[in-house]
Amino acid sequence: MTAVGGLQARSLGVTFTDRDGRSFQALSEVGAQFGPGALTAIVGPSGSGKSTLLHALAGIVLPQQGEVACGDVVVNRLAERQRDAWRLANCGMVFQDFRLLDELDALGNAVLPAQFDRWRSNAALRTRAQDLLARFEVPLRSGPVARLSRGEQQRVALARALLLDPPLILADEPTASLDADNGQRIAQELRALAAAGKTVVAVTHDDKLVALADRVLTLRAGRLQ
Ligand SMILES: Nc1ncnc2c1ncn2[C@@H]1O[C@H](COP(=O)(O)OP(=O)(O)OP(=O)(O)O)[C@@H](O)[C@H]1O
Ligand SMILES: [Mg+2]
């Protein structure tokens, strides 16, 4: 299951229901093609559904309407285990809240996906994790990752996302905690990944990242403008 053709969102609708049974439409009729080789920026006000869209593209949030297609695979129709396997093989995710394991150190976090990879040796992936952390200038300190700065943690999250060299990179505000220089560098990394043929989708408020995007999609109240 490789994502040679990128990703397609077809008329996606996502509704959340709160504990009192009130429902809220977070995405409505979102259709977009995310092709290999392109860096797409998704912008829009807070609460407009950007993270929800990214999570729907990764099969983390399941739409009530429409579908997410990756080649012949309709991601939202896969059973949960198949969806998890598809995501592991295809998606590098950078979450808005990082989702690092606080008690592990930077390398421990960056190398985490290796334990689910049956094909590559752990030693090779450990070296790759070290290389990625060095490239993003994360200090190689032992001790809990929670002690690193937010910007350092953000770069650990990016290293983890890239560990298995996924064809799809879905990044939620990947430069939000970075200073101007680091933000620029990470934006250029994402640009280079797209140039190398990856499908890169980045939710962002960052003008530097938007400037490097091939295309900018704007969400407002769950709809693409
Ligand atoms: N699991 C959930 N359950 C209920 N409502 C949710 C859930 N996830 C998101 N929402 C709601 O859906 C809307 C869109 O949320 P989302 O996180 O996608 O916004 P966003 O554009 O990423 O905002 P921000 O820029 O602040 O990160 C918000 O009103 C949010 O409260
Ligand atoms: Mg968000």
Coordinates of all heavy atoms in Angstrom, one line a residue, residues 47 49-52 96 172-173 203, ligand 2:
G47 N -10.3 27.2 14.8 CA -11.6 26.6 14.8 C -12.2 26.4 13.5 O -13.4 25.9 13.4
G49 N -11.4 24.2 11.3 CA -11.4 22.8 10.9 C -10.1 22.3 10.3 O -10.0 21.2 9.7
K50 N -9.0 23.1 10.4 CA -7.7 22.7 9.8 C -7.2 21.4 10.4 O -6.8 20.5 9.6 CB -6.7 23.8 10.0 CG -7.1 25.2 9.5 CD -6.1 26.3 9.7 CE -5.7 26.5 11.1 NZ -6.8 27.1 12.0
S51 N -7.1 21.3 11.7 CA -6.6 20.1 12.3 C -7.5 18.9 12.0 O -7.1 17.8 11.7 CB -6.5 20.2 13.8 OG -5.5 21.2 14.1
T52 N -8.8 19.2 12.0 CA -9.8 18.1 11.7 C -9.6 17.6 10.3 O -9.6 16.4 10.1 CB -11.2 18.7 11.8 OG1 -11.4 19.2 13.1 CG2 -12.3 17.6 11.6
Q96 N -0.3 19.0 16.2 CA -0.3 20.4 16.8 C 0.3 20.4 18.2 O 1.0 21.3 18.6 CB -1.7 21.0 16.7 CG -1.7 22.5 17.0 CD -3.1 23.1 16.6 OE1 -4.0 22.4 16.3 NE2 -3.1 24.4 16.6
D172 N 0.9 19.7 11.3 CA -0.1 20.6 11.9 C 0.7 21.7 12.6 O 1.3 21.5 13.7 CB -1.0 19.9 12.9 CG -2.3 20.7 13.1 OD1 -2.3 21.9 12.7 OD2 -3.2 20.1 13.6
E173 N 0.8 22.9 12.0 CA 1.5 24.1 12.6 C 3.0 23.7 12.9 O 3.4 23.9 14.0 CB 0.8 24.6 13.8 CG -0.7 24.8 13.7 CD -1.1 26.2 13.5 OE1 -0.2 27.1 13.3 OE2 -2.3 26.5 13.5
V203 N -0.7 22.5 7.8 CA -1.5 23.5 8.4 C -0.6 24.6 9.0 O 0.3 24.3 9.7 CB -2.4 22.9 9.5 CG1 -3.1 24.0 10.3 CG2 -3.4 22.0 8.9
Ligands
MG2 MG -5.6 23.1 14.8

